[in-house]
Amino acid sequence: MIWLLVTLMWLPNTEADLAGYRVYWRPKGGAWECVWEGCETGARVQVDDGELAVRAYDFAGNESKSSNIVYYRRCDLDGDGDCDGIDLSLFGRSFGR
């Protein structure tokens, strides 16, 4: 399996009891799995095709609702069978690279 290295960045949560953030991944339609946890407002994660979302959490362990979901998958742009980039969809808008 070839993993994708995905970098996410987000705006900080401004609540006083913020303890950190968690990045969740799932294969499209599958179960969410925490793949990163920290205090930074950005993360680099190695994941397979699927979906990513960010949640803030407080010192009591309560989590926010998920951010907007980022959908992505490897794609073959020139038809030769190799992964040439990533299709990315955020807020219903598609980005290709």
Side-chain angles (χ1 to χ4, degrees):
M1 178 180 301
I2 298 173
W3 296 96
L4 298 170
L5 183 60
V6 179
T7 301
L8 296 172
M9 297 179 77
W10 55 88
L11 296 174
N13 180 302
T14 58
E15 294 179 27
D17 62 345
L18 174 72
Y21 303 94
R22 293 183 180 119
V23 174
Y24 287 87
W25 168 85
R26 71 177 176 185
K28 192 160 184 160
W32 288 107
E33 172 185 340
C34 182
V35 294
W36 181 89
E37 184 173 331
C39 296
E40 298 84 12
T41 54
R44 183 173 286 179
V45 295
Q46 282 189 301
V47 290
D48 198 6
D49 291 355
E51 305 170 341
L52 288 166
V54 177
R55 298 177 194 163
Y57 65 94
D58 64 21
F59 291 107
N62 301 307
E63 280 191 337
S64 68
K65 293 181 180 179
S66 290
S67 65
N68 291 304
I69 297 172
V70 177
Y71 306 91
Y72 62 92
R73 65 179 174 86
R74 288 177 284 242
C75 60
D76 178 7
L77 299 175
D78 58 12
D80 66 358
D82 295 330
C83 174
D84 301 313
I86 298 172
D87 280 340
L88 173 68
S89 177
L90 178 62
F91 308 115
R93 183 173 171 197
S94 214
F95 304 85
R97 177 170 185 253

